[in-house]
Amino acid sequence: MDLTGQLLVAMPNMGDPRFDRSVVFVCAHSEDGAMGLIVNKPAVDMVLGELMDQLDIPCSSLARDTAVHFGGPVETTRGFVLHTDDYTSRLQTLKVGAFGMTATQDVLEDIGTGDGPERALVMLGYAGWGPGQLEGEITRNGWLTVDASPPVVFGTGDTAKWIKALDVIGIDPLGLSGAAGRA
């Protein structure tokens, strides 16, 4: 099972409140584990202008009020930018289908000057799973998997992404149960 480029949608029984109603873009998945970014949780009290000021990066007035997201509970001071595939960093960008993920400062510099990707989410931290951990969580009914698309990730407000991701696979959130069963 390779979930790279998929969305993970948290089930209602998710025991970890950091992932409650989360939608996670899986950037990498292999036998060594998985890495993803939560795409629907804005960071508390942080906007892009403040982050850019902390890094001493000039930022256009248009980008200053853009939300910074909580990408996950691992390395919460490390930055990541999930973006459309129209942008490639001069240093390094991981291409994942119709998306790119860049973790180098040059993407922030380009966003600040208006030369960055067409659509982007700036994140602090990431979600990580060890070998077999994510597969186990899926087996225990912790996550649903959904094909990722730019309209869901970038074209939907943060509070609506969970419902929109479920809609992609035809699931009404009112019909979801946190309990797994056997027929």
Side-chain angles (χ1 to χ4, degrees), residues 7 26 37 41 44-45 50 55 58 75 85 88 97 130 173 176:
L7 294 176
V26 180
L37 298 167
K41 304 263 182 186
V44 178
D45 300 327
E50 293 169 10
L55 297 171
E75 293 189 56
D85 66 354
T88 301
L176 279 180

Side-chain angles (χ1 to χ4, degrees), residues 7-176:
L7 294 176
L8 301 174
V9 181
M11 289 290 286
N13 65 329
M14 180 59 65
D16 188 334
R18 298 171 297 183
F19 291 101
D20 182 48
R21 293 177 63 104
S22 291
V23 178
V24 179
F25 180 84
V26 180
C27 298
H29 183 225
S30 71
E31 63 185 24
D32 297 326
M35 181 268 183
L37 298 167
I38 301 173
V39 299
N40 66 327
K41 304 263 182 186
V44 178
D45 300 327
M46 174 68 74
V47 293
L48 186 57
E50 293 169 10
L51 178 64
M52 301 287 250
D53 289 346
Q54 289 176 15
L55 297 171
D56 200 26
I57 298 172
C59 184
S60 72
S61 59
L62 293 175
R64 289 198 71 77
D65 293 329
T66 301
V68 171
H69 286 75
F70 169 71
V74 182
E75 293 189 56
T76 57
T77 59
R78 188 169 173 197
F80 299 89
V81 179
L82 182 66
H83 53 81
T84 47
D85 66 354
D86 61 315
Y87 176 85
T88 301
S89 163
R90 295 175 299 281
L91 301 174
Q92 184 174 7
T93 293
L94 174 67
K95 295 290 187 175
V96 184
F99 298 87
M101 191 275 291
T102 304
T104 54
Q105 187 169 313
D106 63 326
V107 68
L108 293 177
E109 293 165 353
D110 289 343
I111 289 171
T113 61
D115 295 324
E118 181 181 330
R119 303 292 305 265
L121 296 174
V122 177
M123 327 252 179
L124 291 174
Y126 67 94
W129 294 266
Q133 184 181 3
L134 178 56
E135 294 85 347
E137 291 179 13
I138 291 170
T139 300
R140 291 187 302 277
N141 202 36
W143 300 100
L144 293 173
T145 59
V146 177
D147 289 335
S149 70
V152 172
V153 173
F154 301 118
T156 305
D158 291 326
T159 57
K161 284 179 188 174
W162 187 75
I163 292 170
K164 182 71 171 178
L166 289 171
D167 187 52
V168 168
I169 54 175
I171 293 180
D172 181 345
L174 297 176
L176 279 180

